[in-house]
């Protein structure tokens, strides 16, 4: 597994530590889980935007063909 160093705001570190304490996981494990979830959400949002753009472009092409 790769290791990285990340600088985060104190309040975010406190939230991560609270989650780690509540779940019994290490701080590192909780941070990795949150990063993974954030990346998956980011990818999903980008995919939705790409689908929207493709549909919009198709609709615009249809509208140009009808004129």
């Amino acid at each position: 597994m790769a290791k990285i160093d990340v600088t985060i705001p104190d309040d975010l570190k406190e939230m991560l530590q609270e989650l780690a304490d509540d779940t019994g996981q290490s701080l590192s494990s909780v941070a990795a889980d949150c990063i993974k979830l954030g990346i998956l959400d980011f990818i999903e949002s980008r995919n939705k935007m790409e689908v929207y753009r493709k549909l919009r472009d198709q609709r615009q092409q249809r509208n140009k063909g009808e004129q």
Side-chain angles (χ1 to χ4, degrees):
M1 215 181 283
K3 181 178 177 178
I4 62 172
D5 292 317
V6 179
T7 302
I8 60 173
D10 291 336
D11 61 331
L12 182 55
K13 194 265 183 186
E14 290 171 13
M15 287 188 278
L16 289 170
Q17 187 63 59
E18 186 176 328
L19 287 168
D21 293 343
D22 289 349
T23 62
Q25 293 178 270
S26 68
L27 180 63
S28 179
S29 178
V30 170
D33 288 345
C34 290
I35 291 169
K36 181 178 179 180
L37 290 172
I39 289 170
L40 293 174
D41 186 48
F42 178 76
I43 290 169
E44 183 179 346
S45 294
R46 285 190 57 156
N47 287 341
K48 287 179 181 178
M49 192 63 185
E50 287 190 31
V51 168
Y52 165 77
R53 287 179 180 147
K54 285 179 183 178
L55 291 173
R56 180 196 61 202
D57 292 347
Q58 289 173 358
R59 187 171 49 250
Q60 288 173 347
Q61 290 298 323
R62 271 197 318 270
N63 289 342
K64 284 182 184 179
E66 293 174 0
Q67 293 177 355

